[in-house]
């Protein structure tokens, strides 16, 4: 397994780096970004001295030229020598006031045991093995009429009130195809955190991004929030036959970037084991009022990251139309494990943007999470001063068949005080949460 050790901010090292990995269910061409051996790596965190800790400072790929930088680098090299490790790469985490170093054990090494030893070194903030994560997938005429968001959420009508205009949404995923007709002009910025390969358009990230913010048109799909501005943060890479994979290191870099660049909402359509580095970064995001949306792993446990983290909106797909589970969340739990307080949203047979052009039907909790992210972007436009928890409290529970657990029309009507969908079909409700 991989091991992650965090140190205070340090100079850039060799380009090969991997930590905790995420896997999505949809396939794609193998890329060079998965060449490292995460099962033999660990992360070590070294503290950044307080005078140099500037959480509001941007990071453009270079370390600050301070006097302690070389000293921290020497500490990382010394730790590697003492424990028979290879220093692979590093990255600043100014949000947490640490430098994160990637160290690799020889074949047959025990990252967990070495991480435990390193954690007792007074120079180390903490050390951890790397964990793996998976995207929550399921197995050219106008497509809007067949979109679940059209049938159940009436998103075209909701856009009379809000489109998510200028709301910054960080899509932490595999690469997004910004040249797809659904997404042309929708990416405010892209960043690649997978070392060893360039930013690439990939299946999972493109599908998730399209559901959130596809701009619609005479053909293609219409996103829930086409006015949103997407950050395409490539922390995952496509693997042939194995979907998309991410590591705790790549995910940590992307989350750190999203926080520093003031994302309003972070979409994490992935799942994997709990991880201290990622949990600390989510704490920092939530403390800043950022909404974090995560996909539930239907095969996982209640402790799976990110939905186990307090404050993260946990999302699963509603049951297939025609099944009893579509009628109520309590019935759905028999088919899809849903933690207490989880949200169900459209995720079955969803038309989605395809990397390289075209469209395909997808199913899975990844795409249900994308719907909820889009809905929060609409609310964030209408309530620009609201923090993450306040936006979540605006969601109104659905009561009708196939509505899942969000009544989109009532949610927007309650927020604006005016009906955007058919008023005969909308009864104003109180919020789902007190």
């Amino acid at each position: 397994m991989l091991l992650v050790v965090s140190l205070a901010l340090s100079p850039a090292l060799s380009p090969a780096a991997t930590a905790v990995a995420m896997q999505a269910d949809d396939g794609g061409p193998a890329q060079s970004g998965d060449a490292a051996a995460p099962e033999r790596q660990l992360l070590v965190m070294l503290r950044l001295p307080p005078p140099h800790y500037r959480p509001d400072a941007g990071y453009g790929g270079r370390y600050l030229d301070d006097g302690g930088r070389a000293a921290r680098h020497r500490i990382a090299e010394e730790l590697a020598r003492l424990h028979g490790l290879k220093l692979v790469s590093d990255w600043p985490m100014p949000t947490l006031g640490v430098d994160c170093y990637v160290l690799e054990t020889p074949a047959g090494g025990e990252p967990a045991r070495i991480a435990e030893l390193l954690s007792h070194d007074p120079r180390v903030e903490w050390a951890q093995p790397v964990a793996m994560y998976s995207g929550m997938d399921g197995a050219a005429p106008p497509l809007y009429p067949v979109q679940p968001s059209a049938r159940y959420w009436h998103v075209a009508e909701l856009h009379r009130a809000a489109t998510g205009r200028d709301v910054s949404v960080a899509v932490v995923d595999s690469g997004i195809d910004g040249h797809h007709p659904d997404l042309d002009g929708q990416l405010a910025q892209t960043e690649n955190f997978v070392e060893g390969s360039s930013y690439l358009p990939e299946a999972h990230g493109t599908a998730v991004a399209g559901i959130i913010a596809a701009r619609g048109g005479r053909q293609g799909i219409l996103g829930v929030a086409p006015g949103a501005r997407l950050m395409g943060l490539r922390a995952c890479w496509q693997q042939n036959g194995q979907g998309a994979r991410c590591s705790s290191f790549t995910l940590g870099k992307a989350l750190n970037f999203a926080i520093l660049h003031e994302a309003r909402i972070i979409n994490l359509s992935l799942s994997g084991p709990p991880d201290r580095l990622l949990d600390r970064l989510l704490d920092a995001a939530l403390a800043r009022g950022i909404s974090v949306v995560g996909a539930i792993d239907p095969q996982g446990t209640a402790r799976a990251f990110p939905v186990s983290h307090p404050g993260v909106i946990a999302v699963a797909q509603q049951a297939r139309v025609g099944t009893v589970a579509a009628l109520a969340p309590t019935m759905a739990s028999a088919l899809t494990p849903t933690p207490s307080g989880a949200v169900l949203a459209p995720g079955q047979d969803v038309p989605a943007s395809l990397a390289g052009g075209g469209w395909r039907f997808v199913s899975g909790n990844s795409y249900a999470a994308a719907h909820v992210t889009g809905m929060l972007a609409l609310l964030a436009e209408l309530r620009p001063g609201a923090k993450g928890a306040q936006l979540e409290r605006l969601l109104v529970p659905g009561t009708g068949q196939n509505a899942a657990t969000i009544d989109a029309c009532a949610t927007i009507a309650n927020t604006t005080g005016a009906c955007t969908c058919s008023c005969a079909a909308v009864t104003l409700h109180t919020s789902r949460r007190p």
Side-chain angles (χ1 to χ4, degrees):
M1 71 183 292
L2 290 181
L3 174 63
V4 175
V5 182
S6 297
L7 308 177
L9 291 180
S10 71
L13 300 172
S14 74
T18 306
V20 185
M22 166 197 119
Q23 180 177 350
D25 294 338
D26 53 335
Q31 305 295 346
S32 59
D34 59 356
E39 71 280 356
R40 288 168 34 207
Q41 293 177 349
L42 54 127
L43 300 180
V44 176
M45 314 297 163
L46 295 180
R47 280 182 295 277
L48 177 65
H52 300 285
Y53 177 28
R54 302 211 306 266
D56 58 336
Y59 176 69
R62 297 181 181 275
Y63 289 91
L64 298 176
D65 188 21
D66 62 273
R69 188 174 61 183
R72 291 190 297 275
H73 190 189
R74 288 193 295 271
I75 292 173
E77 291 178 326
E78 180 183 350
L79 292 171
R81 285 194 303 272
L82 286 173
H83 296 276
L85 306 173
K86 176 184 176 183
L87 185 54
V88 175
S89 186
D90 68 318
W91 197 266
M93 297 285 179
T95 302
L96 303 181
V98 300
D99 272 348
C100 180
Y101 287 84
V102 179
L103 281 70
E104 187 171 285
T105 68
E110 301 179 70
R113 180 182 62 81
I114 298 173
E116 177 65 23
L117 291 174
L118 286 167
S119 294
H120 295 291
D121 191 303
R123 298 168 295 180
V124 175
E125 178 75 5
W126 84 83
Q128 64 180 75
V130 172
M132 304 300 292
Y133 298 85
S134 301
M136 293 297 97
D137 251 333
L143 291 170
Y144 178 74
V146 299
Q147 289 181 230
S149 59
R151 296 197 300 273
Y152 310 136
W153 283 12
H154 309 284
V155 293
E157 297 172 63
L158 301 183
H159 294 165
R160 299 170 187 168
T163 62
R165 182 178 179 181
D166 294 332
V167 174
S168 179
V169 177
V171 181
V172 178
D173 213 295
S174 58
I176 298 170
D177 186 355
H179 296 294
H180 192 288
D182 287 344
L183 294 165
D184 187 18
Q186 300 300 81
L187 288 172
Q189 62 188 129
T190 59
E191 294 289 336
N192 182 33
F193 299 103
V194 179
E195 301 184 20
S197 68
S198 58
Y199 192 98
L200 299 166
E202 294 164 305
H204 193 263
T206 300
V208 167
I211 291 167
I212 296 171
R215 62 182 190 164
R218 297 188 63 183
Q219 61 179 353
I221 66 172
L222 177 63
V224 178
R229 303 295 287 164
L230 301 182
M231 293 183 191
L233 306 185
R234 184 177 182 248
C236 313
W237 57 91
Q238 237 24 81
Q239 284 197 322
N240 190 23
Q242 297 185 35
R245 295 178 66 81
C246 323
S247 75
S248 49
F249 186 46
T250 57
L251 291 172
K253 290 188 287 184
L255 287 172
N256 184 70
F257 184 95
I259 295 167
L260 291 178
H261 289 78
E262 300 181 338
R264 190 79 185 276
I265 305 162
I266 297 175
N267 187 88
L268 293 170
S269 287
L270 54 92
S271 185
D275 183 270
R276 183 175 177 181
L277 172 63
L278 302 183
D279 282 336
R280 289 278 297 272
L281 287 163
L282 289 190
D283 284 339
L286 294 167
R288 288 162 171 78
I290 299 172
S291 297
V292 181
V293 180
I296 294 171
D297 182 354
Q299 307 301 324
T301 67
R303 295 188 66 246
F305 175 90
V307 297
S308 62
H309 194 94
V312 172
I313 301 174
V315 186
Q317 61 180 332
Q318 68 187 71
R320 189 177 299 278
V321 175
T323 67
V324 294
L327 300 177
T330 54
M331 298 179 188
S333 63
L335 298 179
T336 302
T338 52
S340 175
V343 173
L344 299 184
Q348 287 278 353
D349 300 325
V350 180
S353 313
L354 181 64
W359 298 267
R360 63 175 182 141
F361 284 88
V362 298
S363 296
N365 294 349
S366 282
Y367 312 115
H371 278 83
V372 175
T373 291
M375 179 60 64
L376 291 175
L378 300 184
L379 295 173
E381 178 191 348
L382 296 171
R383 297 286 177 87
K387 302 298 184 182
Q390 294 170 319
L391 291 180
E392 185 182 2
R393 286 194 291 270
L394 294 174
L395 297 174
V396 173
T399 56
Q401 185 173 2
N402 304 326
T405 57
I406 297 175
D407 186 329
C409 292
T411 294
I412 299 302
N414 272 14
T415 304
T416 62
C419 292
T420 53
C421 304
S422 172
C423 289
V426 175
T427 302
L428 298 188
H429 301 283
T430 58
S431 174
R432 184 167 58 89
R433 292 172 175 80

